[in-house]
Amino acid sequence: MANEKIRFEGVTKRFGALTVLDKLDLSINDGEVVTIIGPSGSGKTTVLRCLMTLESIEDGLIRIDGEPLNKMESEGRLVPASNAHLRRMRLKLGMVFQSFNLFPHLTVLQNCVEPPIFALGVTRDEARSRAQELLDMVGMGDKQAHYPAQLSGGQQQRVAIARTLAMQPEILVFDEPTSALDPETIEEVTSVIRSLAVKHSYTMLMVTHQIAFAHDISDRICFFDKGRIVEQGPPAAVIDAPTEARTQQFLRKVAQAR
Amino acid sequence: MDWRWDFTFETVLPRILPGLWVTVEVTFLSFALSLVLGLFLMIARRSTIRPLSVAAGEFIEFMRGMPLVVVIFFLFFLLPEIGIFLAPFWTGVLAMGIYNAAPVAEILRGGLQAVPKGQWEAAHVLNYSTYRTWRQVILPQAVKPVVPGLGNLLILAFKETPLLSFVAVPEMLDAARRIASETYRFTEPLTVVGILFLILSLFSAVLIRLVERHLLTETRHGK
Ligand SMILES: Nc1ncnc2c1ncn2[C@@H]1O[C@H](COP(=O)(O)OP(=O)(O)OP(=O)(O)O)[C@@H](O)[C@H]1O
Ligand SMILES: [Mg+2]
């Protein structure tokens, strides 16, 4: 078995009386590209937010490279993670949001230069040369001096991807990276993500409603419903020949909507 | 009306102009204090530590219902009681600084609420420390929407300074009253004070406009 990168063990997340994740078990290997699909409100975003420690969890354990994330070991026992522990563990994680969340008061270049300086402690020169490389890679090298508000959605999302990569994460998390985009600009973002999945060794966990895109780049698809994985496997199985009635129904609905 | 120009220029202006300087000093020093205290007050109010946020909220409410002159008298007579002896000038700076910290906190809170939640989340996943999140991400975005409100407050602060004459801070009104009581002429000193306040207000309005314009060209963001 390949190296396990991420592991959810019986993860339960509640908002008040609402159980959004119900004893979720999910294991993702190093370099694997996993896409979560499923109906609205099924808990897809919540999975990503728990992994990014944007949400605390009520029960269960998340591990990265075998090491507990939401807990830490102290004298042989698991205790709630300290902020220092969370910060150290988060170094391996990078997230791209549906709504980009670029810093609007900073230029494109500053958006990619400042995080490594302030959160990793690299020198400004080093951060700048790496940011320029990454911006070239996502095709935004000629917009370095622009502010986010001066860019299209697709351009902003490509900058957001470069900003995430500038932090040198090992795991990339995407929450519906193309849902806020105009149809004409979706392709420029999916092609960047595709190249990350194919050419680089990142472990990727993505949520998307773009089934064809998911089929194209994923090693594994997880169909989610009501906080549980209903069906998972390679795209050729889950998307092309789903066995569960709920998966079939969802895919039919998505196909009709297009 | 009996208006004497020689009296105005030879007696009134030379004695009131130092008061003008005191007014400007008190206003800016107390305002700087208000900004610092207001920032801490706002952070305390948003704190997840219950007693802290409750205390900050109560303090803001308390100050809102309190006339400034009461705060001034209170500090003027109370501080010596507990062994702190300050010149009236510094008591005035302290009183106005504390008094205006509450509205500053409220204005800053409004500015904070204008920063989208996604900005906090981006800082979180980019592993910014709490300090860096505030310093690099949140405050720069919260500043622009608060400038007009803080500007208004600054002008109000100018207009509050005459209250300090009650505790003998030698600002403009204090100087005017001294001249009046010595010469029994009220028209010239009070008119001069009025005109100088008018000039101060116009001047600070221009200043605020300049700051706003500067911020606007500095960050051409926002739609
Ligand atoms: N902060 C919150 N407080 C209360 N309920 C929440 C909160 N965040 C999410 N929920 C609820 O949790 C459930 C799962 O939300 P989640 O955002 O994970 O769904 P999703 O699968 O990503 O849906 P979508 O496809 O619409 O993005 C929903 O019912 C949602 O209303
Ligand atoms: Mg979602």
Side-chain angles (χ1 to χ4, degrees), chain A residues 26-240:
Chain A
L26 175 65
S27 161
I28 299 171
N29 286 334
D30 198 3
E32 197 180 10
V33 177
V34 174
T35 299
I36 300 174
I37 60 171
S40 182
S42 58
K44 307 181 297 297
T45 296
T46 305
V47 176
L48 305 187
R49 291 176 59 86
C50 290
L51 177 62
M52 295 312 299
T53 67
L54 284 166
E55 304 283 354
S56 58
I57 60 181
E58 272 67 52
D59 198 18
L61 192 61
I62 302 175
R63 289 180 187 273
I64 293 173
D65 289 325
E67 198 179 343
L69 168 72
N70 56 316
K71 300 263 174 70
M72 60 185 191
E73 270 162 65
S74 164
E75 296 163 4
R77 293 179 51 234
L78 283 181
V79 298
S82 67
N83 276 336
H85 177 80
L86 290 176
R87 285 196 77 196
R88 189 172 61 77
M89 296 300 288
R90 265 200 308 266
L91 287 174
K92 296 183 180 178
L93 296 161
M95 178 169 187
V96 174
F97 298 89
Q98 180 175 346
S99 51
F100 332 130
N101 295 348
L102 289 174
F103 300 136
H105 57 299
L106 301 180
T107 63
V108 163
L109 185 64
Q110 288 167 336
N111 260 280
C112 299
V113 167
E114 289 207 346
I117 293 175
F118 294 127
L120 290 180
V122 307
T123 66
R124 187 165 284 276
D125 285 345
E126 202 182 321
R128 174 184 282 266
S129 72
R130 188 168 156 75
Q132 276 162 342
E133 261 170 49
L134 289 167
L135 286 170
D136 283 336
M137 190 187 89
V138 299
M140 292 297 294
D142 57 339
K143 295 279 199 292
Q144 291 183 8
H146 284 60
Y147 284 88
Q150 298 169 302
L151 305 177
S152 73
Q155 292 173 326
Q156 290 190 52
Q157 192 61 301
R158 284 186 283 152
V159 174
I161 292 171
R163 179 178 71 170
T164 302
L165 297 178
M167 293 294 291
Q168 307 179 32
E170 297 166 20
I171 298 164
L172 294 180
V173 170
F174 295 88
D175 188 15
E176 301 196 33
T178 58
S179 289
L181 303 181
D182 294 333
E184 2 11 307
T185 65
I186 288 180
E187 175 55 30
E188 64 193 52
V189 171
T190 51
S191 75
V192 168
I193 299 174
R194 182 179 293 114
S195 85
L196 290 177
V198 175
K199 287 196 213 128
H200 302 263
S201 56
Y202 295 111
T203 305
M204 287 176 34
L205 179 58
M206 179 168 69
V207 172
T208 185
H209 288 297
Q210 289 204 276
I211 304 298
F213 173 54
H215 191 302
D216 200 16
I217 69 159
S218 309
D219 297 310
R220 183 166 28 128
I221 304 284
C222 295
F223 174 70
F224 238 73
D225 196 19
K226 302 197 176 76
R228 287 166 167 273
I229 298 174
V230 174
E231 182 170 4
Q232 60 176 318
V238 178
I239 294 177
D240 299 336

Side-chain angles (χ1 to χ4, degrees), chain B residues 108-127:
Chain B
L108 294 183
R109 202 164 65 107
L112 265 197
Q113 280 165 348
V115 180
K117 203 168 112 260
Q119 294 293 308
W120 293 92
E121 299 186 342
H124 179 92
V125 304
L126 291 167
N127 238 337

Side-chain angles (χ1 to χ4, degrees), chain B residues 165-201:
Chain B
S165 65
F166 285 126
V167 292
V169 175
E171 49 69 68
M172 288 194 281
L173 190 65
D174 184 67
R177 287 201 317 183
R178 282 174 202 276
I179 298 168
S181 63
E182 288 164 22
T183 63
Y184 301 102
R185 295 193 64 88
F186 294 88
T187 319
E188 291 89 348
L190 289 177
T191 307
V192 166
V193 168
I195 290 170
L196 288 177
F197 264 113
L198 186 67
I199 292 170
L200 274 184
S201 302

Side-chain angles (χ1 to χ4, degrees), chain B residues 46-67:
Chain B
R46 297 182 77 265
S47 164
T48 47
I49 305 164
R50 273 295 281 170
L52 199 60
S53 68
V54 169
E58 290 298 317
F59 179 80
I60 290 171
E61 278 307 307
F62 177 76
M63 276 298 165
R64 189 183 270 165
M66 188 65 57

